[in-house]
Each structure stands twice: as structure tokens, then as C-alpha cells.
Amino acid sequence: MVELAKTAGFCYGVDRAVGMVYDLLEKGKKVATVGPIIHNPQIVSDLAEKGVIIVNEPKEVPKGYVLVIRSHGVGKIVTDEAEDLALELADATCPFVKKIHRLATRAGEEGKVFLFFGDADHPEVMGVVGHCTGEYYVVKNESGLYELWQNNPDLAQKSIFVAAQTTFNTNEWKNCLKTLKKLCTNHEVFDTICNATVLRQAEAKILSENSDVMIVVGGRESSNTAKLFSICNENAETYLVETAKELPNLEGSLKIGITAGASTPASIIKEVLVTMSDMNQIAEQNFEEMLEESLKSFNTDEKVRGIVVGITPTEVYVDVGRKQAGFVPANELSQDPNVRPEDIVKMGDEIDLLIMKTNDQEGTIMLSKKRVDAMKGWDDIEAALESQEVLTGKVIEVVKGGVIVLSKNMRIFVPASQATTSRGEDLNGLKNKEVNFRVIEVNRGRRRAVGSIRSVLKEQRKAAQEKFWTDIQEGQRFTGKVKSFTNFGAFIDLGGVDGMVHISELSWNRVKHPSDVLSIGETVEVFVKGLDRENGKISLGYKDPSQNPWEKLEKEYPAGTVCEATIVGLTDFGAFANVIPGIDGLIHISQIADRRIEKPQDVLAVGDKVNVKITEIDFENHRVSLSMRALLEDSQAEAAKADNGEAEVVYSTEAE
């Protein structure tokens, strides 16, 4: 019995590179490749017969040739040289490899060490190294990692980016990462092993465990073929062949498994299958049927994994390892309608997808990313409901009755009553903001999840209040926002806790209403005048003590001073007059005139400017007594004195 691995043969990157060369030849182009386009001597030989030449560096390319960069990629110096020489370039670098190039460059730009697991002599690794802009190291295996650390003990203190060759052995990778955790904690791991490699190696392991003999088909120079051989050889007698001519003579009723490296063309796999069938005298299975089985049409609602190979404003193209061309419409990429495709995925990204519709006639598959994400999200959301974990999400829409929060790739509806701390607030202010919330209801059947922002805000406010009351002291200064007004003062939000500035504390001048001094929403500097911890009340001061007019009054306007004052108020018992800004004094009705008057309004009106004498100052109770009558009496006394003096002089003259 012969069984062929489903993942045998060309991977996406190799198929793309080889196809690019053949396509250029069909267009009549002359082609040169940097190194062999593929690690398969048969393909390389066929291309050589068609005129394809192999060069080591751009300056070797003859005039008129197109230079193809193979899927392994090259260092930046190679592409820079090609551009300097004005060569026509066709870049077939595998998207997975391109991703590693970007990581290598980024590590240097961020001042981090780039640690790369792979074979230093492999073209892919040499190309990656050519994109390193800072400190880097190439390690082949776990023992090489230990050796690196022994020779460079300071690495344990550095920040490290960790990546691997796309064809690196997955088991070795796991062992290396386990060891790295013991050696260093400040490292960031990027899983750059190609998904096709992972699947190929995993399938080879399972197939070899269930086979008597394994045949690995591929070029002896191929790294991924060598790794397949190593994996299979651990479980079964294994042979590595490049063509059917190298097959061993296997007789008897053996169970034979066949796998092939990523650089092995379908024609060679077919030749091996047919030869094995003849050897074992079994009914030959149509190879085309076997291939078609691996290329079978997908069923709708089937999950697949693909690699991003193209991005446009309206859709993303993906390779899912089958004959159909996969595409994801922009509205199937994310639950957030405001994001662009390039914000969600990048070239070479590997993503999980759900098949929405197949079109065998056109050879296309319509796929969805957001639906797969939503499937994963339900479990997370239900777990969050159970644990009452606080989640973070972005408000992407304001809808009738509430807002939509995107979190864990799920659309969570937050009713208006649960969106803010108080009802009636404008929800539009939440749009595009990051918010914390709890899940309060999940109904998978109705595809509905409900959350509450308010419950988290209340908890946060309560925690802030407790800390606030623990720390606050009299005299402490705060920056707060004016929240609301009453006739007797203004309430200031100090950050989760409100304090009140009494109207008398707003200004040294007379204030009719807090709005004369402050505006709602204004940021102000205040200080704590008094605390009532039992009732949770805070009295605040706002006016500047350095501008205290009573200090000015004491220095410049002692009792007995005569000054001009403005009448600002009239009562039955007297008139209030402004002496200096911030201080009003009382002119008692008995001190307004030198005669009896019925009421102050008979003599004075608001706005009148009058001369007064400061007769008494009560600094403790902030009271000033004024008198107009005292000035009149002083004036009369002066006049009388003057009159008496003049009379005496006249009498003396007459006596003479």
C-alpha cells in the first residue's frame, strides 16, 4: 500500500518563484536568477536548457536580462546594487521571508539584538542577515544556543528579537525556545516558521509512524527536504530520492509513505508514485485523481488558513494552498467598519478564515476573517461574563439606544443606561474611544452580547474616592473642573470627588452669582479650606490670599482715613459704600447727614461717589464703619474755629 502526504510538493513561495521564471520565458524575456531558483536539479536543468542563467551578484547579469530574486530572498545590498545598475528586477521573495527581513531591520532600528535560528550557510539565512542593521546572531540548534550564551553572557541583560528560518524544525524550535526562557527573560518571540512547513513536518511525522518505509522526494541541497528526512527517519526506514531512478527495490506487502519537499515538482512525485506502484504490483492509482483530492473544492463553512498575497482597498487576496484563488471582501475582514484592509493585515500574514462561498466556474473562494474571529470571541466573552473580568474595547458606533464596542473581535452592545455614569449624557463623545466594560449578558443563539461601561466607571470612581479621602489634607491645592453652579457657590470636580467653593470665596469683590467669575467646564486652581470627612463634604477656596484687600486696608487705610467711596447698596438702616475693591463699609443712617433723615434714599443713590471717614475697622469680623456726618462736623468745627479767630482780630483793631 502506498500513501502520499497531502502536503507533498511545491509550497506557495516556491511555486510562485518557479512560475514567475517560466512566465517571463513565455513572454520572451531573458532571465537570470540569484543562485538556483529552486533546490531541485531537474527544474534547474530544465530552466538552463531554456536559457536561464545563474549569477552570484547583480554585476554578473548580462545586459537585457531580467534578474529574478528567488523565494529565499537576498540581502539589502544585493537589491541596492541591482537598482544602482538599473537592472530590471522580478522579486519572488516568499512573503514569509519578507516578514523576517522586516523584523531583522526593525530590531536594529530599535536597538535590540536579533537572534535567528537557522543554518548560517542557507541562502534564506544569508539573505535575512543582509537586512540586519544592528547586533545579530545565527544559531543552528539548542546546543548552539548554549554556546552562544557562554561566549556572550551579557546577552541576558539585552532586549532580543527571536525568529527562525521558515523551514526550521518545529520540534527543535520548541526546545530552543524552552531553553531561551531559562537563559533570558527580556526577549520577544516571532513565530516565522512557514505554516506549510509546520503542516508538512507534522504530516510527515504521523505518516512515518504508521508506515513501514518512508520515501522522501526532493533535492539533496534542500533544507526542508533534509528536515523531512530527519523526522521520518526517527520512525521508519527512510530513503531520500531526487527522482524515481533512485528508488530502492521494495518488495512484499509493505505500507509505504511518500512525502516531498517544498521544492519538488508534481511531475517527479507522479513518477515516483507510478514506479512504486509497479514495484509493489498494486493497482495504479491515477495520480491526477490524487492531486485533485488535495485540490478538492472546499465546503462552505469550512475553516482554512491562508497567507496574504495581495491587498486592495476593497479586498484581500490569500493563498490557501489550493487551486482556487481566495479573496476576503473588506467588509469580511473586521467587525469595525471604519478600518482599512491595510490596517488589519500585511503582506505575508497568516490568517484563519471561513469559507463563505465557492465558485468552481471562476475558480475562486470567498472567505471571511471576521466570522472566524467572532467564533473565537464567543468563548472569550462567555468566560468574561462568568469571571466578571474587566475588558477593554473601542467604541466603533453610536446606535439607537446605545453604543457598539469592539472587543476580542466581537461587537458588544452597551445600552445608553450602561454607557455613562449618569443618564442623558451625549453618547457621541464616546465614539472611537477606548473604554473599559464588563459583559452582563451573552446569548449565542441570538448572537447578542451586552456590556456595561457604567459599572466599571462606578467602581473606578469609588476606588478613586477612597484613595482621595485617604490622602487629602487641609491646605492642599488641586486642579479641578467647574461642574455646576448654585446660588450660593460652585461645585468643582477634583477627579472623582466634588468640592464646593462658596460664593464668598470666589472673589474679594462682591459677586451676585458664581457665573460672574467662573464658567462650566473651566479648569481652575483651588485649595482645601475645610473637610467634613463624616459627611463627605469639602470646602474649597478659590480667591488668591495674596490679593487680600483687608491687608491693603490695614496698611493704607487705617481708622481716621478720609477717602472717596461709591454707594453700592441702600437699606433702611444705612448705606453700603465700596472703599477699595473687595471691601464695603457701612454708613449708618445716623452718619449720613448732620440732621435727622427718614431714610438713606432721601440723600443718597446707588452709584453716588461720596467722601467718607473710616471711623472703625473690625478686622476679625471684616466690618468697616464709615461716616459722612463726621466729615460735616469736622468741616463745621474748622469753620467755627476760623470765624472765632477773625472776630478777635477785629476787636483788637477797634480798641486801638
PDB file of all heavy atoms in Angstrom, residues 66-94:
ATOM      1  N   VAL A  66      16.441  39.982 -17.253  1.00  0.00           N
ATOM      2  CA  VAL A  66      15.657  40.271 -16.044  1.00  0.00           C
ATOM      3  C   VAL A  66      16.274  39.469 -14.898  1.00  0.00           C
ATOM      4  O   VAL A  66      16.505  38.264 -15.023  1.00  0.00           O
ATOM      5  CB  VAL A  66      14.180  39.867 -16.211  1.00  0.00           C
ATOM      6  CG1 VAL A  66      13.409  40.131 -14.909  1.00  0.00           C
ATOM      7  CG2 VAL A  66      13.542  40.608 -17.363  1.00  0.00           C
ATOM      8  N   LEU A  67      16.535  40.145 -13.779  1.00  0.00           N
ATOM      9  CA  LEU A  67      17.103  39.461 -12.619  1.00  0.00           C
ATOM     10  C   LEU A  67      15.975  39.065 -11.678  1.00  0.00           C
ATOM     11  O   LEU A  67      15.249  39.907 -11.155  1.00  0.00           O
ATOM     12  CB  LEU A  67      18.097  40.371 -11.889  1.00  0.00           C
ATOM     13  CG  LEU A  67      18.756  39.765 -10.635  1.00  0.00           C
ATOM     14  CD1 LEU A  67      19.552  38.516 -10.996  1.00  0.00           C
ATOM     15  CD2 LEU A  67      19.646  40.787  -9.945  1.00  0.00           C
ATOM     16  N   VAL A  68      15.838  37.746 -11.446  1.00  0.00           N
ATOM     17  CA  VAL A  68      14.795  37.229 -10.562  1.00  0.00           C
ATOM     18  C   VAL A  68      15.395  36.925  -9.192  1.00  0.00           C
ATOM     19  O   VAL A  68      16.383  36.204  -9.087  1.00  0.00           O
ATOM     20  CB  VAL A  68      14.148  35.953 -11.147  1.00  0.00           C
ATOM     21  CG1 VAL A  68      13.122  35.396 -10.163  1.00  0.00           C
ATOM     22  CG2 VAL A  68      13.491  36.248 -12.483  1.00  0.00           C
ATOM     23  N   ILE A  69      14.794  37.509  -8.168  1.00  0.00           N
ATOM     24  CA  ILE A  69      15.181  37.193  -6.793  1.00  0.00           C
ATOM     25  C   ILE A  69      14.386  35.962  -6.375  1.00  0.00           C
ATOM     26  O   ILE A  69      13.164  35.981  -6.371  1.00  0.00           O
ATOM     27  CB  ILE A  69      14.859  38.352  -5.823  1.00  0.00           C
ATOM     28  CG1 ILE A  69      15.481  39.663  -6.309  1.00  0.00           C
ATOM     29  CG2 ILE A  69      15.306  38.012  -4.416  1.00  0.00           C
ATOM     30  CD1 ILE A  69      16.978  39.647  -6.374  1.00  0.00           C
ATOM     31  N   ARG A  70      15.057  34.897  -6.021  1.00  0.00           N
ATOM     32  CA  ARG A  70      14.363  33.648  -5.688  1.00  0.00           C
ATOM     33  C   ARG A  70      13.593  33.765  -4.372  1.00  0.00           C
ATOM     34  O   ARG A  70      13.737  34.737  -3.631  1.00  0.00           O
ATOM     35  CB  ARG A  70      15.362  32.498  -5.617  1.00  0.00           C
ATOM     36  CG  ARG A  70      16.490  32.714  -4.635  1.00  0.00           C
ATOM     37  CD  ARG A  70      17.519  31.622  -4.753  1.00  0.00           C
ATOM     38  NE  ARG A  70      18.704  31.905  -3.949  1.00  0.00           N
ATOM     39  CZ  ARG A  70      19.732  31.093  -3.848  1.00  0.00           C
ATOM     40  NH1 ARG A  70      19.739  29.961  -4.527  1.00  0.00           N
ATOM     41  NH2 ARG A  70      20.773  31.395  -3.101  1.00  0.00           N
ATOM     42  N   SER A  71      12.798  32.741  -4.064  1.00  0.00           N
ATOM     43  CA  SER A  71      11.921  32.788  -2.893  1.00  0.00           C
ATOM     44  C   SER A  71      12.690  32.899  -1.588  1.00  0.00           C
ATOM     45  O   SER A  71      12.173  33.388  -0.590  1.00  0.00           O
ATOM     46  CB  SER A  71      11.000  31.560  -2.857  1.00  0.00           C
ATOM     47  OG  SER A  71      11.765  30.369  -2.787  1.00  0.00           O
ATOM     48  N   HIS A  72      13.968  32.446  -1.565  1.00  0.00           N
ATOM     49  CA  HIS A  72      14.782  32.554  -0.350  1.00  0.00           C
ATOM     50  C   HIS A  72      15.094  34.004  -0.004  1.00  0.00           C
ATOM     51  O   HIS A  72      15.441  34.311   1.142  1.00  0.00           O
ATOM     52  CB  HIS A  72      16.112  31.807  -0.532  1.00  0.00           C
ATOM     53  CG  HIS A  72      15.955  30.324  -0.640  1.00  0.00           C
ATOM     54  ND1 HIS A  72      15.159  29.601   0.205  1.00  0.00           N
ATOM     55  CD2 HIS A  72      16.499  29.419  -1.493  1.00  0.00           C
ATOM     56  CE1 HIS A  72      15.216  28.318  -0.114  1.00  0.00           C
ATOM     57  NE2 HIS A  72      16.017  28.186  -1.147  1.00  0.00           N
ATOM     58  N   GLY A  73      14.999  34.909  -0.975  1.00  0.00           N
ATOM     59  CA  GLY A  73      15.306  36.304  -0.735  1.00  0.00           C
ATOM     60  C   GLY A  73      16.806  36.575  -0.740  1.00  0.00           C
ATOM     61  O   GLY A  73      17.627  35.648  -0.781  1.00  0.00           O
ATOM     62  N   VAL A  74      17.163  37.847  -0.709  1.00  0.00           N
ATOM     63  CA  VAL A  74      18.577  38.248  -0.711  1.00  0.00           C
ATOM     64  C   VAL A  74      18.765  39.399   0.277  1.00  0.00           C
ATOM     65  O   VAL A  74      17.796  39.995   0.752  1.00  0.00           O
ATOM     66  CB  VAL A  74      19.038  38.704  -2.113  1.00  0.00           C
ATOM     67  CG1 VAL A  74      19.022  37.550  -3.098  1.00  0.00           C
ATOM     68  CG2 VAL A  74      18.177  39.872  -2.612  1.00  0.00           C
ATOM     69  N   GLY A  75      20.009  39.711   0.567  1.00  0.00           N
ATOM     70  CA  GLY A  75      20.320  40.835   1.438  1.00  0.00           C
ATOM     71  C   GLY A  75      20.039  42.165   0.756  1.00  0.00           C
ATOM     72  O   GLY A  75      19.962  42.243  -0.480  1.00  0.00           O
ATOM     73  N   LYS A  76      19.886  43.204   1.545  1.00  0.00           N
ATOM     74  CA  LYS A  76      19.559  44.532   1.009  1.00  0.00           C
ATOM     75  C   LYS A  76      20.639  45.035   0.058  1.00  0.00           C
ATOM     76  O   LYS A  76      20.352  45.728  -0.924  1.00  0.00           O
ATOM     77  CB  LYS A  76      19.371  45.520   2.155  1.00  0.00           C
ATOM     78  CG  LYS A  76      18.832  46.880   1.718  1.00  0.00           C
ATOM     79  CD  LYS A  76      18.522  47.737   2.922  1.00  0.00           C
ATOM     80  CE  LYS A  76      17.890  49.067   2.493  1.00  0.00           C
ATOM     81  NZ  LYS A  76      18.783  49.868   1.660  1.00  0.00           N
ATOM     82  N   ILE A  77      21.874  44.658   0.321  1.00  0.00           N
ATOM     83  CA  ILE A  77      22.973  45.127  -0.519  1.00  0.00           C
ATOM     84  C   ILE A  77      22.824  44.644  -1.962  1.00  0.00           C
ATOM     85  O   ILE A  77      23.222  45.320  -2.910  1.00  0.00           O
ATOM     86  CB  ILE A  77      24.339  44.671   0.069  1.00  0.00           C
ATOM     87  CG1 ILE A  77      25.478  45.391  -0.647  1.00  0.00           C
ATOM     88  CG2 ILE A  77      24.501  43.144  -0.010  1.00  0.00           C
ATOM     89  CD1 ILE A  77      26.828  45.146   0.010  1.00  0.00           C
ATOM     90  N   VAL A  78      22.202  43.469  -2.127  1.00  0.00           N
ATOM     91  CA  VAL A  78      22.007  42.903  -3.474  1.00  0.00           C
ATOM     92  C   VAL A  78      20.976  43.721  -4.251  1.00  0.00           C
ATOM     93  O   VAL A  78      21.209  44.099  -5.410  1.00  0.00           O
ATOM     94  CB  VAL A  78      21.574  41.427  -3.389  1.00  0.00           C
ATOM     95  CG1 VAL A  78      21.295  40.876  -4.794  1.00  0.00           C
ATOM     96  CG2 VAL A  78      22.647  40.594  -2.699  1.00  0.00           C
ATOM     97  N   THR A  79      19.837  43.997  -3.613  1.00  0.00           N
ATOM     98  CA  THR A  79      18.800  44.775  -4.318  1.00  0.00           C
ATOM     99  C   THR A  79      19.268  46.212  -4.563  1.00  0.00           C
ATOM    100  O   THR A  79      18.942  46.808  -5.594  1.00  0.00           O
ATOM    101  CB  THR A  79      17.490  44.779  -3.514  1.00  0.00           C
ATOM    102  OG1 THR A  79      17.750  45.192  -2.170  1.00  0.00           O
ATOM    103  CG2 THR A  79      16.876  43.383  -3.484  1.00  0.00           C
ATOM    104  N   ASP A  80      20.031  46.755  -3.612  1.00  0.00           N
ATOM    105  CA  ASP A  80      20.561  48.114  -3.801  1.00  0.00           C
ATOM    106  C   ASP A  80      21.510  48.156  -5.002  1.00  0.00           C
ATOM    107  O   ASP A  80      21.476  49.094  -5.818  1.00  0.00           O
ATOM    108  CB  ASP A  80      21.313  48.569  -2.549  1.00  0.00           C
ATOM    109  CG  ASP A  80      20.365  48.902  -1.404  1.00  0.00           C
ATOM    110  OD1 ASP A  80      19.151  48.998  -1.666  1.00  0.00           O
ATOM    111  OD2 ASP A  80      20.842  49.050  -0.265  1.00  0.00           O
ATOM    112  N   GLU A  81      22.349  47.123  -5.118  1.00  0.00           N
ATOM    113  CA  GLU A  81      23.297  47.061  -6.239  1.00  0.00           C
ATOM    114  C   GLU A  81      22.558  46.922  -7.559  1.00  0.00           C
ATOM    115  O   GLU A  81      22.911  47.562  -8.561  1.00  0.00           O
ATOM    116  CB  GLU A  81      24.261  45.885  -6.043  1.00  0.00           C
ATOM    117  CG  GLU A  81      25.337  45.795  -7.139  1.00  0.00           C
ATOM    118  CD  GLU A  81      26.246  44.578  -6.973  1.00  0.00           C
ATOM    119  OE1 GLU A  81      26.229  43.949  -5.891  1.00  0.00           O
ATOM    120  OE2 GLU A  81      26.965  44.258  -7.946  1.00  0.00           O
ATOM    121  N   ALA A  82      21.497  46.107  -7.562  1.00  0.00           N
ATOM    122  CA  ALA A  82      20.704  45.914  -8.781  1.00  0.00           C
ATOM    123  C   ALA A  82      20.056  47.223  -9.218  1.00  0.00           C
ATOM    124  O   ALA A  82      20.008  47.545 -10.413  1.00  0.00           O
ATOM    125  CB  ALA A  82      19.645  44.841  -8.543  1.00  0.00           C
ATOM    126  N   GLU A  83      19.573  47.988  -8.247  1.00  0.00           N
ATOM    127  CA  GLU A  83      18.955  49.277  -8.561  1.00  0.00           C
ATOM    128  C   GLU A  83      19.994  50.259  -9.096  1.00  0.00           C
ATOM    129  O   GLU A  83      19.716  51.023 -10.025  1.00  0.00           O
ATOM    130  CB  GLU A  83      18.276  49.842  -7.312  1.00  0.00           C
ATOM    131  CG  GLU A  83      17.023  49.075  -6.920  1.00  0.00           C
ATOM    132  CD  GLU A  83      16.385  49.616  -5.656  1.00  0.00           C
ATOM    133  OE1 GLU A  83      16.873  50.655  -5.151  1.00  0.00           O
ATOM    134  OE2 GLU A  83      15.412  49.018  -5.174  1.00  0.00           O
ATOM    135  N   ASP A  84      21.189  50.231  -8.495  1.00  0.00           N
ATOM    136  CA  ASP A  84      22.261  51.118  -8.964  1.00  0.00           C
ATOM    137  C   ASP A  84      22.643  50.801 -10.412  1.00  0.00           C
ATOM    138  O   ASP A  84      23.026  51.694 -11.182  1.00  0.00           O
ATOM    139  CB  ASP A  84      23.496  50.980  -8.067  1.00  0.00           C
ATOM    140  CG  ASP A  84      23.266  51.568  -6.677  1.00  0.00           C
ATOM    141  OD1 ASP A  84      22.320  52.372  -6.539  1.00  0.00           O
ATOM    142  OD2 ASP A  84      24.005  51.217  -5.741  1.00  0.00           O
ATOM    143  N   LEU A  85      22.550  49.508 -10.766  1.00  0.00           N
ATOM    144  CA  LEU A  85      22.897  49.086 -12.128  1.00  0.00           C
ATOM    145  C   LEU A  85      21.714  49.225 -13.086  1.00  0.00           C
ATOM    146  O   LEU A  85      21.829  48.874 -14.263  1.00  0.00           O
ATOM    147  CB  LEU A  85      23.378  47.633 -12.111  1.00  0.00           C
ATOM    148  CG  LEU A  85      24.711  47.371 -11.373  1.00  0.00           C
ATOM    149  CD1 LEU A  85      24.945  45.864 -11.228  1.00  0.00           C
ATOM    150  CD2 LEU A  85      25.867  48.001 -12.142  1.00  0.00           C
ATOM    151  N   ALA A  86      20.584  49.704 -12.556  1.00  0.00           N
ATOM    152  CA  ALA A  86      19.360  49.892 -13.360  1.00  0.00           C
ATOM    153  C   ALA A  86      18.886  48.591 -13.991  1.00  0.00           C
ATOM    154  O   ALA A  86      18.379  48.567 -15.117  1.00  0.00           O
ATOM    155  CB  ALA A  86      19.591  50.953 -14.437  1.00  0.00           C
ATOM    156  N   LEU A  87      19.024  47.490 -13.256  1.00  0.00           N
ATOM    157  CA  LEU A  87      18.571  46.193 -13.757  1.00  0.00           C
ATOM    158  C   LEU A  87      17.063  46.062 -13.578  1.00  0.00           C
ATOM    159  O   LEU A  87      16.483  46.590 -12.630  1.00  0.00           O
ATOM    160  CB  LEU A  87      19.265  45.055 -12.998  1.00  0.00           C
ATOM    161  CG  LEU A  87      20.778  44.917 -13.166  1.00  0.00           C
ATOM    162  CD1 LEU A  87      21.301  43.795 -12.281  1.00  0.00           C
ATOM    163  CD2 LEU A  87      21.138  44.641 -14.623  1.00  0.00           C
ATOM    164  N   GLU A  88      16.433  45.314 -14.480  1.00  0.00           N
ATOM    165  CA  GLU A  88      15.019  45.008 -14.332  1.00  0.00           C
ATOM    166  C   GLU A  88      14.897  43.871 -13.316  1.00  0.00           C
ATOM    167  O   GLU A  88      15.460  42.799 -13.502  1.00  0.00           O
ATOM    168  CB  GLU A  88      14.412  44.592 -15.666  1.00  0.00           C
ATOM    169  CG  GLU A  88      12.908  44.349 -15.584  1.00  0.00           C
ATOM    170  CD  GLU A  88      12.294  43.950 -16.918  1.00  0.00           C
ATOM    171  OE1 GLU A  88      12.986  44.034 -17.951  1.00  0.00           O
ATOM    172  OE2 GLU A  88      11.116  43.524 -16.910  1.00  0.00           O
ATOM    173  N   LEU A  89      14.170  44.129 -12.239  1.00  0.00           N
ATOM    174  CA  LEU A  89      14.076  43.162 -11.147  1.00  0.00           C
ATOM    175  C   LEU A  89      12.696  42.510 -11.104  1.00  0.00           C
ATOM    176  O   LEU A  89      11.677  43.161 -11.342  1.00  0.00           O
ATOM    177  CB  LEU A  89      14.322  43.837  -9.803  1.00  0.00           C
ATOM    178  CG  LEU A  89      15.742  43.902  -9.250  1.00  0.00           C
ATOM    179  CD1 LEU A  89      15.734  44.635  -7.919  1.00  0.00           C
ATOM    180  CD2 LEU A  89      16.333  42.519  -9.077  1.00  0.00           C
ATOM    181  N   ALA A  90      12.679  41.208 -10.794  1.00  0.00           N
ATOM    182  CA  ALA A  90      11.438  40.492 -10.516  1.00  0.00           C
ATOM    183  C   ALA A  90      11.636  39.819  -9.161  1.00  0.00           C
ATOM    184  O   ALA A  90      12.421  38.878  -9.042  1.00  0.00           O
ATOM    185  CB  ALA A  90      11.144  39.461 -11.598  1.00  0.00           C
ATOM    186  N   ASP A  91      10.969  40.330  -8.154  1.00  0.00           N
ATOM    187  CA  ASP A  91      11.194  39.853  -6.790  1.00  0.00           C
ATOM    188  C   ASP A  91      10.208  38.745  -6.430  1.00  0.00           C
ATOM    189  O   ASP A  91       9.021  38.977  -6.256  1.00  0.00           O
ATOM    190  CB  ASP A  91      11.048  41.017  -5.806  1.00  0.00           C
ATOM    191  CG  ASP A  91      11.529  40.657  -4.408  1.00  0.00           C
ATOM    192  OD1 ASP A  91      11.864  39.479  -4.178  1.00  0.00           O
ATOM    193  OD2 ASP A  91      11.577  41.557  -3.552  1.00  0.00           O
ATOM    194  N   ALA A  92      10.729  37.522  -6.312  1.00  0.00           N
ATOM    195  CA  ALA A  92       9.888  36.373  -5.960  1.00  0.00           C
ATOM    196  C   ALA A  92      10.110  35.952  -4.509  1.00  0.00           C
ATOM    197  O   ALA A  92       9.796  34.827  -4.128  1.00  0.00           O
ATOM    198  CB  ALA A  92      10.181  35.203  -6.899  1.00  0.00           C
ATOM    199  N   THR A  93      10.640  36.846  -3.698  1.00  0.00           N
ATOM    200  CA  THR A  93      10.877  36.502  -2.288  1.00  0.00           C
ATOM    201  C   THR A  93       9.568  36.088  -1.621  1.00  0.00           C
ATOM    202  O   THR A  93       8.549  36.769  -1.750  1.00  0.00           O
ATOM    203  CB  THR A  93      11.464  37.709  -1.524  1.00  0.00           C
ATOM    204  OG1 THR A  93      12.644  38.160  -2.181  1.00  0.00           O
ATOM    205  CG2 THR A  93      11.799  37.325  -0.095  1.00  0.00           C
ATOM    206  N   CYS A  94       9.619  34.969  -0.911  1.00  0.00           N
ATOM    207  CA  CYS A  94       8.440  34.453  -0.210  1.00  0.00           C
ATOM    208  C   CYS A  94       7.944  35.492   0.798  1.00  0.00           C
ATOM    209  O   CYS A  94       8.747  36.106   1.507  1.00  0.00           O
ATOM    210  CB  CYS A  94       8.797  33.154   0.507  1.00  0.00           C
ATOM    211  SG  CYS A  94       7.491  32.543   1.586  1.00  0.00           S
TER     212      CYS A  94
END
